[in-house]
Amino acid sequence: MTQTDTITPEDIAALFTRSDGSFFCARWGRPIAPIVFGVEDATLSVVKGAFEAVCALAGHGMAETDTELGSNFMVFFFRDWPELLDVPNLDRLIDGLGALVARLDAAEANQYRVFRFDESGAIRACFVFLRMDDALSKVPAEELALGQVAQSILCWSDTAFSERSPLAWAGATTVLRPDIAGVIRAAYDPVLPAVSQDPSHALRLFARMAAQLPDA
């Protein structure tokens, strides 16, 4: 069975069709320069490994620094949302940070993701916030890190993974679902545009998934 046996063009379109009905698929337009806050060295190495694995899958570059932002992918681990208000200059990076923190705190949310885009619409920055409540604290670091990076390597729909995780398990090892891995690889094919708001883009992704099979 191949990755295209388990996913259809309609399935792919759904991964990028937002709850308001609009279609939007975007990949990173620059190398990813990540930085992680609030974890010990052991967890830091796990998160770094997740970045390396997903970027290698996509064929996308990583960098020590971003010339514009320094770090363009920031991951914050913390216990309570108000802690973010004490992060120096974060309010300059996240518009309306105070109101956002109040809203997420009231909703008892445990994660949130913010993308920034360049002039062409490609991803230029991502901020991932993880409030380590009881639920997230029980998730193994490898699973949490891989899931977060996979959900940030493309701008997926806000409902893409609401019912099913992008992850799978091979014995005790956490991996990406083959269909999701295939979509990521296809989306980073240089033949395709970095950004599309046309649902027919799903057909092009499906075709690239088939073209990239070993026997293709």
Side-chain angles (χ1 to χ4, degrees), residues 65-130:
T65 59
D66 178 80
T67 54
E68 181 184 355
L69 300 172
S71 295
N72 58 25
F73 195 137
M74 300 183 184
V75 184
F76 297 85
F77 290 80
F78 52 92
R79 288 291 179 184
D80 297 294
W81 288 108
E83 293 177 32
L84 295 179
L85 301 177
D86 297 326
V87 178
N89 300 318
L90 186 59
D91 58 339
R92 297 171 59 184
L93 297 172
I94 307 294
D95 295 334
L97 179 64
L100 176 64
V101 165
R103 178 164 61 86
L104 294 171
D105 193 29
E108 298 185 348
N110 61 11
Q111 56 186 289
Y112 192 73
R113 185 177 299 102
V114 178
F115 288 102
R116 293 288 180 263
F117 303 92
D118 62 22
E119 296 80 3
S120 71
I123 302 170
R124 75 179 183 97
C126 182
F127 306 89
V128 174
F129 303 105
L130 299 171

Side-chain angles (χ1 to χ4, degrees), residues 6-163:
T6 60
I7 194 169
T8 67
E10 292 75 19
D11 294 330
I12 296 173
L15 291 171
F16 300 102
T17 302
R18 304 188 64 79
S19 52
D20 64 3
S22 63
F23 181 95
F24 182 70
C25 176
R27 67 189 186 214
W28 281 79
R30 60 183 65 193
I32 293 176
I35 188 169
V36 183
F37 301 94
V39 296
E40 299 177 351
D41 288 346
T43 302
L44 182 61
S45 66
V46 171
V47 178
K48 180 181 178 182
F51 274 107
E52 292 172 342
V54 175
C55 284
L57 168 71
H60 188 66
M62 292 182 63
E64 290 294 326
T65 59
D66 178 80
T67 54
E68 181 184 355
L69 300 172
S71 295
N72 58 25
F73 195 137
M74 300 183 184
V75 184
F76 297 85
F77 290 80
F78 52 92
R79 288 291 179 184
D80 297 294
W81 288 108
E83 293 177 32
L84 295 179
L85 301 177
D86 297 326
V87 178
N89 300 318
L90 186 59
D91 58 339
R92 297 171 59 184
L93 297 172
I94 307 294
D95 295 334
L97 179 64
L100 176 64
V101 165
R103 178 164 61 86
L104 294 171
D105 193 29
E108 298 185 348
N110 61 11
Q111 56 186 289
Y112 192 73
R113 185 177 299 102
V114 178
F115 288 102
R116 293 288 180 263
F117 303 92
D118 62 22
E119 296 80 3
S120 71
I123 302 170
R124 75 179 183 97
C126 182
F127 306 89
V128 174
F129 303 105
L130 299 171
R131 181 177 70 86
M132 300 304 292
D133 60 2
D134 289 343
L136 279 191
S137 296
K138 294 176 182 177
V139 178
E142 293 84 357
E143 180 180 333
L144 184 60
L146 184 59
Q148 292 298 324
V149 177
Q151 291 179 75
S152 306
I153 194 68
L154 293 171
C155 189
W156 308 89
S157 161
D158 54 334
T159 60
F161 304 113
S162 58
E163 296 184 0

